[in-house]
Amino acid sequence: NAGVTQTPKFQVLKTGQSMTLQCAQDMNHNSMYWYRQDPGMGLRLIYYSASEGTTDKGEVPNGYNVSRLNKREFSLRLESAAPSQTSVYFCASSVAPGTSGGYEQYFGPGTRLTVT
Amino acid sequence: AQKVTQAQTEISVVEKEDVTLDCVYETRDTTYYLFWYKQPPSGELVFLIRRNSFDEQNEISGRYSWNFQKSTSSFNFTITASQVVDSAVYFCALRRVGGGSNYKLTFGKGTLLTVNP
């Protein structure tokens, strides 16, 4: 099992450019998440998808959109990148709450994004 | 609102020393989940442990142990006989029970542990 995979690993964008971060999991998890990690801020939730076909905003959704393409894949799109979106982005997945062994989230390796 | 505080920003120890990482949380819920994650220099986040609020039994896994005290809202993590490979940022996190917006993990800001040879 590869677990949670993310592409790309690194990306540099100019202000105003758009891009999509891809995430896939092979653990048959129902729920998927996007976080950003900034120095001194810990991890903050951008968007999440409780199950296939649903998405909801997290703490810091402004400037982002998401698509839950199917049960395996959850993408994050920056429509018009800004320097404030320079960060490390993590995708995570988990089984649905109430399921045995649920609640903990498993993370991908991250995407380091720089917006100049 | 939920909050997780890791007051120790950085800790530096010498190999084989024991070290405790503190985690204090705030929540109005009576049931919840607590977690510890490790982020080594390579950057990935590794799940270490989940603790249910209704189970106050402490847990030991090899050199790692966790002390959960509901009365003081703390969930501390001790590494015994630390090793250089333990050098990482450690995050404590809190999550409500149930679905909907409760899916969110609330993270502390992390503690950077450096173990020197």
Side-chain angles (χ1 to χ4, degrees):
Chain A
N1 279 359
V4 180
T5 57
Q6 294 182 234
T7 55
K9 285 192 167 58
F10 301 94
Q11 184 71 48
V12 178
L13 291 178
K14 291 187 179 351
T15 298
Q17 286 185 320
S18 62
M19 78 160 295
T20 300
L21 280 63
Q22 306 286 354
C23 173
Q25 52 89 13
D26 63 1
M27 296 179 282
N28 201 33
H29 284 168
N30 291 315
S31 304
M32 297 184 74
Y33 315 82
W34 277 105
Y35 290 88
R36 60 178 288 173
Q37 183 179 26
D38 302 294
M41 300 290 290
L43 283 92
R44 292 180 292 171
L45 183 67
I46 304 171
Y47 270 93
Y48 66 96
S49 172
S51 60
E52 189 178 352
T54 68
T55 61
D56 282 287
K57 295 178 181 179
E59 292 175 84
V60 288
N62 290 346
Y64 305 95
N65 284 302
V66 290
S67 295
R68 183 73 183 267
L69 305 169
N70 48 55
K71 189 172 185 178
R72 290 186 63 248
E73 298 172 287
F74 188 37
S75 62
L76 178 72
R77 182 160 178 84
L78 287 71
E79 291 291 352
S80 179
S84 61
Q85 294 178 304
T86 293
S87 188
V88 181
Y89 291 86
F90 287 97
C91 178
S93 69
S94 72
V95 299
T99 308
S100 175
Y103 292 102
E104 57 265 27
Q105 296 176 14
Y106 294 89
F107 286 79
T111 295
R112 190 173 293 274
L113 175 67
T114 302
V115 183
T116 60
Chain B
Q2 302 195 302
K3 186 177 178 183
V4 175
T5 301
Q6 295 179 255
Q8 304 151 309
T9 307
E10 295 187 36
I11 300 175
S12 181
V13 300
V14 177
E15 210 170 13
K16 297 186 184 173
E17 282 185 24
D18 298 348
V19 58
T20 295
L21 309 180
D22 296 333
C23 173
V24 174
Y25 61 91
E26 295 174 31
T27 180
R28 293 182 182 176
D29 296 339
T30 53
T31 56
Y32 44 87
Y33 289 87
L34 294 160
F35 306 84
W36 276 95
Y37 284 85
K38 175 183 180 180
Q39 187 175 40
S42 53
E44 75 274 21
L45 278 149
V46 179
F47 165 70
L48 294 177
I49 191 171
R50 178 191 72 205
R51 166 62 62 204
N52 307 332
S53 60
F54 45 87
D55 178 5
E56 289 203 56
Q57 192 169 10
N58 289 326
E59 187 155 343
I60 297 174
S61 175
R63 296 184 297 106
Y64 294 171
S65 61
W66 290 270
N67 183 354
F68 173 47
Q69 301 226 340
K70 202 168 184 178
S71 59
T72 57
S73 298
S74 65
F75 184 41
N76 296 337
F77 174 27
T78 297
I79 302 174
T80 303
S82 60
Q83 300 176 1
V84 173
V85 293
D86 295 327
S87 297
V89 179
Y90 290 87
F91 291 96
C92 181
L94 169 67
R95 193 207 140 129
R96 305 183 75 178
V97 173
S101 61
N102 298 331
Y103 282 95
K104 184 168 82 79
L105 277 177
T106 298
F107 282 88
K109 294 186 178 179
T111 297
L112 171 62
L113 173 64
T114 303
V115 181
N116 298 297

